[in-house]
Amino acid sequence: MFTTGQLIFALFFFVAFALVVFFSYRKDKKLHARHYTGSIKILIGFILFLIILLLLKGWIKS
């Protein structure tokens, strides 16, 4: 399906991307704490909304 070179490139790309994201997050950690307080509540609300939509879809379909 994929050549060995493609798999090696994908592995290196993934590792490099993960490292860049990790170090960027560490650098901006204080800034995120100041500007995004309370965002966990929004995330939980969004996930609950999606769960409710899926439950309603299953309930209406049956």
Side-chain angles (χ1 to χ4, degrees):
M1 186 175 350
F2 293 109
T3 65
T4 306
Q6 288 174 324
L7 292 174
I8 291 171
F9 174 78
L11 178 68
F12 280 120
F13 182 83
F14 177 75
V15 170
F17 183 77
L19 286 173
V20 167
V21 169
F22 175 74
F23 285 115
S24 294
Y25 179 77
R26 275 188 58 191
K27 187 179 116 187
D28 294 336
K29 194 172 184 179
K30 291 178 186 176
L31 187 66
H32 290 297
R34 186 172 3 131
H35 290 291
Y36 298 113
T37 55
S39 62
I40 192 74
K41 294 176 187 175
I42 294 171
L43 177 64
I44 291 171
F46 182 71
I47 292 171
L48 285 174
F49 176 73
L50 288 176
I51 290 171
I52 290 169
L53 280 177
L54 289 172
L55 290 173
L56 284 172
K57 179 183 174 187
W59 180 63
I60 290 174
K61 223 176 190 181
S62 62

